[in-house]
Amino acid sequence: MNIIVEVGYLIATVSFLGGLKFMSSPKRAKIGNIFAASGMVLAVICTFLMVLSNAVPTTNLIIALVAILLGTLLGKRMATKVEMTAMPQLVSLFNATGGGCAMLLGIIEANQSRLTEVPVGIKILLLLGLVTGAVAATGSIVAYGKLAGKTKDKRTKGVVYGSRVLLGLILLLPLIYFIGFVPVPFEIFTYIMAAFALCYGILFVLPIGGADMPVVISLLNSITGIATAFAGFVYGNKAMIAGGIFVGAAGILLTLLMCKAMNRSLIKVLAGKFKKSSAAADEEEQHIKSIASAEIAMQLSFASKIAIVPGYGLAVAQGQHLCGQLQKLLANRGVHIDFIIHPVAGRMPGHMNVLLAEANIDYEHLKEMNEVNDQMSHYDLVLIIGANDVVNPAAETKPDSPVYGMPIIKAHESKQVVVMKRSMSTGYAGVSNDLFGMDNCSLLFGDAKDSLQEIINQLKLI
Amino acid sequence: MEFLQHNLELIYFVIFCVFIGIEVIANVPAILHTPLMSGANAISGVIMVGAVIMLMQIPPTNYVLLGLGGVAVFLGALNISGGFFVTGRMLKMFNSKK
């Protein structure tokens, strides 16, 4: 019996790995997802086989089955109802559930530890799992609130120092406890740690601003994975350890990738800090040319190769479907059109790709920044919709600019640039954009969706 | 030390998992980062396995713990099902005519 369960867990582990491996191409990713999901179902079945080989109380079994049924149904419902623009929120929320599960597991195991003698190693793992789970749970909930626009950024001194003090306590207290200076029972100690970790999760995400969200979500995702791995250690369950570590690795990798794409260190993002602009004083006067939508439509119809650089502003304006329409319209006229996507466009890694895929844009047309940056001069026209900092040439030319060193899409090297913008306000980094003053750049003011609609209407007339 | 000795095999396992995980995931293109993340998120729901094992060990008369354990399993199941369904839904949208 036991060997069947072990082999089941082995197959589950391999299927997780295979599922992730299949994610490396859009064609096979669907199969990969089904693969990983089947592995998960297998792992759950094996678990039931294992627990049922001993006598278990019926009440417990019923509670487990009902909980699984309810969770599955609710999860499916939430997954089918969500809007693609709200994807980052949903992923955060699911992440919070995973963290919450890990935390509850730690608390209950600690409570049960009164009855039997538990080795110190297991106690440490329990604590680690509980603390990471709790931080991920409340952190993800705050991140959810921010992404859904329900929570504002708070960067008061109290929050910053509070989070530092709590972090110190979370790191130090267990040391003191295991040396033996804190004469409280283990379960009471875990409750205290859980409370601290829950508070820390909140304070840790509160000061972090909007465009840094991709970093935070990736990091929290990774923390949940690590919590899972710790719990796996407690039970000696290899499927849990492997699954947790894969998720932890994926999260850390994405976190670092996002940081690199913004040219900011993880520490700075976590501190919610931005390099202050020293050049703010000598603001140069920019000569800005504005352009009418009719003229853009005219230029679009004469061009042969066009690029669109979408930013979060496009998602906010819900303009992605119009982008799809524009692409079809131009493709029918033989105009080649690419979408160039900066790694941090959107509110989570790869978010913009999902939004454009939803608008039925073929993934062959979705280009990564590095793929096309050398060939920017081949584009007759680059339309920038709702993006700002990621096309600012100051990142390459002005060493004292806050965005200096950030990898950008070199839109300014193309023949003609049109920036669609709501107003002259600065981007997230709070700096003016040198691109707007360049000779080959003109601006179209207004809501991205309305402007796109107008361009499409004009284009149909031509 | 004793703990290390007993678990040396597991520690090897962990180290290999870390490297394999990083190698596999580093190959995922930026276009699929969101599905990767939500898929990985769903995989971390494997914590539910632990929650089920734990739930079975709770004495059936301890209603508080049973309730908490039930919530833990529920959260885990929500994580798994939501994660995989939403990933599937996203991936369905990625298509190419070629």
Side-chain angles (χ1 to χ4, degrees):
Chain A
M1 195 57 182
N2 225 340
I3 189 69
I4 298 177
V5 172
E6 288 296 327
V7 171
Y9 281 139
L10 176 68
I11 297 173
T13 309
V14 173
S15 81
F16 294 160
L17 196 59
L20 289 172
K21 174 83 193 152
F22 275 20
M23 284 275 182
S24 49
S25 102
K27 274 185 206 115
R28 292 182 304 165
K30 260 172 275 184
I31 307 166
N33 189 46
I34 294 168
F35 215 58
S38 329
M40 186 64 77
V41 173
L42 182 68
V44 174
I45 292 174
C46 284
T47 310
F48 274 100
L49 281 180
M50 185 173 72
V51 291
L52 288 179
S53 60
N54 303 316
V56 278
T58 333
T59 335
N60 299 27
L61 193 62
I62 291 171
I63 291 179
L65 291 174
V66 170
I68 290 178
L69 186 71
L70 286 180
T72 312
L73 290 179
L74 184 66
K76 180 159 194 229
R77 203 179 136 78
M78 285 165 78
T80 15
K81 278 182 72 179
V82 67
E83 293 272 342
M84 285 300 143
T85 28
M87 193 54 71
Q89 288 95 299
L90 188 74
V91 172
S92 296
L93 204 59
F94 285 148
N95 199 37
T97 62
C101 183
M103 179 191 71
L104 287 174
L105 200 95
I107 289 181
I108 296 169
E109 280 293 337
N111 186 290
Q112 296 277 290
S113 72
R114 291 180 298 191
L115 311 172
T116 47
E117 193 59 43
V118 180
V120 182
I122 296 291
K123 280 187 180 171
I124 295 177
L125 288 171
L126 267 181
L127 261 187
L128 285 170
L130 171 127
V131 168
T132 44
V135 171
T138 49
S140 301
I141 289 174
V142 176
Y144 163 78
K146 287 195 166 202
L147 289 163
K150 289 175 186 154
T151 319
K152 291 269 172 299
D153 301 350
K154 279 204 187 64
R155 260 195 61 73
T156 54
K157 280 222 163 71
V159 172
V160 177
Y161 287 115
S163 76
R164 278 183 202 161
V165 168
L166 275 176
L167 181 63
L169 281 176
I170 291 169
L171 293 175
L172 277 179
L173 273 183
L175 273 181
I176 301 172
Y177 177 80
F178 284 111
I179 294 169
F181 284 132
V182 188
V184 289
F186 181 63
E187 80 252 29
I188 306 288
F189 182 69
T190 48
Y191 300 156
I192 299 172
M193 287 302 288
F196 280 153
L198 286 173
C199 296
Y200 177 66
I202 298 174
L203 294 184
F204 145 70
V205 182
L206 261 186
I208 302 176
D212 283 336
M213 268 354 236
V215 180
V216 179
I217 304 182
S218 315
L219 188 65
L220 289 169
N221 200 17
S222 148
I223 294 177
T224 314
I226 293 167
T228 307
F230 282 135
F233 256 119
V234 173
Y235 298 105
N237 185 315
K238 290 205 177 65
M240 281 171 76
I241 300 178
I245 289 176
F246 295 152
V247 179
I252 292 280
L253 212 72
L254 286 177
T255 309
L256 296 178
L257 221 67
M258 292 298 115
C259 282
K260 215 172 118 200
M262 294 196 291
N263 191 37
R264 302 180 58 194
S265 72
L266 183 56
I267 308 283
K268 271 190 195 140
V269 173
L270 294 186
K273 264 190 205 139
F274 236 113
K275 197 158 76 177
K276 283 274 170 297
S277 170
S278 51
D282 51 273
E283 194 83 30
E284 294 158 43
E285 189 74 14
Q286 283 185 331
H287 297 284
I288 288 164
K289 295 188 293 290
S290 66
I291 188 170
S293 50
E295 202 179 329
I296 298 178
M298 190 68 85
Q299 287 180 358
L300 284 174
S301 63
F302 287 130
S304 64
K305 208 173 173 204
I306 290 172
I308 292 183
V309 178
Y312 188 59
L314 178 74
V316 171
Q318 298 279 340
Q320 64 270 31
H321 291 282
L322 290 173
C323 273
Q325 274 187 40
L326 185 67
Q327 193 243 353
K328 291 221 168 55
L329 211 60
L330 289 170
N332 288 340
R333 293 165 182 253
V335 183
H336 182 85
I337 177 165
D338 281 334
F339 291 83
I340 307 175
I341 298 164
H342 194 273
V344 292
R347 281 295 179 261
M348 74 183 285
H351 188 198
M352 199 53 70
N353 292 291
V354 173
L355 293 176
L356 292 174
E358 189 201 11
N360 274 322
I361 292 165
D362 198 320
Y363 63 74
E364 302 278 340
H365 294 290
L366 306 179
K367 303 284 185 206
E368 284 179 39
M369 172 175 73
N370 297 334
E371 253 178 275
V372 288
N373 245 348
D374 306 334
Q375 309 150 23
M376 287 310 293
S377 54
H378 297 311
Y379 288 104
D380 298 316
L381 182 67
V382 175
L383 265 180
I384 296 168
I385 312 175
N388 190 349
D389 294 333
V390 297
V391 289
N392 192 345
E396 292 185 327
T397 52
K398 282 192 183 161
D400 52 353
S401 167
V403 294
Y404 182 74
M406 175 169 137
I408 56 159
I409 298 169
K410 299 178 181 170
H412 57 278
E413 288 181 2
S414 67
K415 289 172 194 148
Q416 170 83 21
V417 184
V418 172
V419 182
M420 291 166 70
K421 243 175 114 34
R422 196 185 287 274
S423 65
M424 266 315 283
S425 66
T426 54
Y428 177 67
V431 282
S432 63
N433 196 332
D434 290 358
L435 176 69
F436 302 161
M438 288 187 163
D439 289 338
N440 59 348
C441 175
S442 34
L443 281 87
L444 175 67
F445 290 104
D447 179 70
K449 198 177 175 181
D450 297 342
S451 304
L452 271 173
Q453 188 63 61
E454 214 167 301
I455 292 174
I456 291 171
N457 292 345
Q458 299 277 358
L459 206 57
K460 280 180 184 160
L461 297 177
I462 297 173
Chain B
M1 256 314 136
E2 208 180 318
F3 180 76
L4 281 182
Q5 216 163 28
H6 285 300
N7 291 292
L8 206 56
E9 213 178 308
L10 270 185
I11 293 167
Y12 272 110
F13 180 71
V14 168
I15 294 170
F16 286 134
C17 279
V18 171
F19 281 96
I20 295 173
I22 290 176
E23 277 307 310
V24 167
I25 291 149
N27 283 327
V28 177
I31 148 170
L32 287 177
H33 275 166
T34 297
L36 167 70
M37 191 173 234
S38 70
N41 195 351
I43 290 177
S44 76
V46 71
I47 185 93
M48 191 188 85
V49 164
V52 169
I53 298 175
M54 167 214 61
L55 182 60
M56 295 304 159
Q57 292 161 352
I58 297 174
T61 44
N62 193 337
Y63 297 113
V64 178
L65 284 193
L66 275 183
L68 279 179
V71 172
V73 174
F74 165 76
L75 289 178
L78 180 63
N79 192 179
I80 295 175
S81 107
F84 281 122
F85 278 122
V86 90
T87 311
R89 213 186 121 197
M90 271 191 278
L91 289 174
K92 232 188 262 167
M93 298 184 314
F94 283 95
N95 45 36
S96 170
K97 278 141 228 142
K98 276 171 218 166

